[in-house]
Amino acid sequence: MGNVHVFDHPLIQHKLTYIRDVSTGTKEFRELVDEVATLMAFEITRHLQLQEVTVETPVGPSKSHALAGKKLGVVPILRAGIGMSDGILKLIPAAKVGHVGMYRDPQTLKPVEYYVKLPSDVEEREFIVVDPMLATGGSAVDAISSLKQRGATNIKLMCLIGAPEGVEEVQNQHPEVDIYLAALDEKLDEKGYIVPGLGDAGDRLFGTK
Ligand code: PRP
Ligand code: URA
């Protein structure tokens, strides 16, 4: 069973508080989501392998360490996932970016896929699927399935806020996928919104309603 990690770093928790706040406007919301994504990327990349390299400092040779060249892929689920991908790329600019376009039908709450574009070397990459909200889990489950159908075998899921229902659904459908959250909230409401959550992530990021 994949693990669920909730990042309790004070900076992540502080910024998440203002992301949740209904009085936070679009500009600040977008900046905070970007910053939290960067901080979460710092935590999520702890396992990356290093290799020894020697560089010349102004004083002499230094046996140092550099990333061993593992290929990473970041896959935002459109559209709200876009709000997190740049924040991750600030730390890992060499990562390739795939996109999965998906919206949740407001009546059925089922995800509808409308676009998929992934890097060509899918089999060789470790993917981080990103979306601010893990509500029923339908969107994340289908996005991960889409990646697997195209050959991906190494996938992590990173969201700002998860509901217990969504976490359970991902664990049931993709038991090997680790889930990384900034918060695990209480429940879903009757419209499938996370309580207390932050409202509609896409609308708050892009100023739509
Ligand atoms: C939101 C969110 C997730 C999905 C989560 O997207 O960004 O993708 O809902 O819900 P689920 O876990 O129940 O599937 P939405 O469908 O509102 O589309 P948007 O990103 O285009 O606004
Ligand atoms: N999608 C959102 O944007 N917010 C929620 O709370 C649930 C799904």
Side-chain angles (χ1 to χ4, degrees):
M1 183 68 76
N3 291 314
V4 183
H5 308 261
V6 181
F7 294 137
D8 59 0
H9 192 289
L11 284 176
I12 294 178
Q13 294 306 315
H14 173 84
K15 289 172 191 293
L16 182 63
T17 298
Y18 294 98
I19 289 172
R20 289 184 189 274
D21 190 336
V22 67
S23 68
T24 298
T26 302
K27 177 177 180 288
E28 197 187 349
F29 184 90
R30 200 182 292 143
E31 288 168 356
L32 287 166
V33 170
D34 182 76
E35 288 170 8
V36 170
T38 305
L39 293 168
M40 291 182 78
F42 181 72
E43 297 278 7
I44 209 175
T45 48
R46 271 185 190 283
H47 66 290
L48 292 180
Q49 299 290 313
L50 293 171
Q51 62 187 3
E52 210 171 81
V53 294
T54 302
V55 293
E56 286 292 324
T57 79
V59 181
S62 163
K63 271 195 185 163
S64 302
H65 293 94
L67 288 174
K70 190 166 187 78
K71 293 181 165 185
L72 292 173
V74 178
V75 180
I77 303 179
L78 306 180
R79 86 198 136 131
I82 287 284
M84 296 178 75
S85 46
D86 281 351
I88 301 170
L89 292 169
K90 275 180 200 150
L91 288 191
I92 36 176
K96 292 264 165 52
V97 183
H99 294 88
V100 176
M102 211 161 258
Y103 68 88
R104 202 170 71 149
D105 183 289
Q107 258 73 50
T108 65
L109 301 185
K110 298 283 176 225
V112 182
E113 186 178 283
Y114 58 87
Y115 184 76
V116 181
K117 181 77 181 174
L118 300 178
S120 54
D121 52 356
V122 173
E123 294 88 355
E124 296 164 37
R125 287 192 182 266
E126 174 181 334
F127 284 99
I128 307 171
V129 173
V130 292
D131 193 326
M133 309 308 277
L134 178 62
T136 65
S139 304
V141 162
D142 281 14
I144 293 166
S145 297
S146 238
L147 262 72
K148 285 185 179 175
Q149 280 159 21
R150 289 164 176 82
T153 54
N154 188 347
I155 302 170
K156 298 182 190 314
L157 175 65
M158 180 172 131
C159 304
L160 288 186
I161 303 179
E165 294 89 334
V167 167
E168 195 182 329
E169 183 65 4
V170 173
Q171 288 188 318
N172 285 338
Q173 303 302 325
H174 300 294
E176 79 289 3
V177 170
D178 285 340
I179 303 170
Y180 299 84
L181 303 172
L184 179 59
D185 274 11
E186 194 188 324
K187 59 177 183 182
L188 296 178
D189 71 9
E190 66 287 351
K191 289 185 180 155
Y193 276 84
I194 299 176
V195 181
L198 54 75
D200 188 304
D203 283 347
R204 293 196 65 190
L205 274 167
F206 298 111
T208 50
K209 237 319 167 212

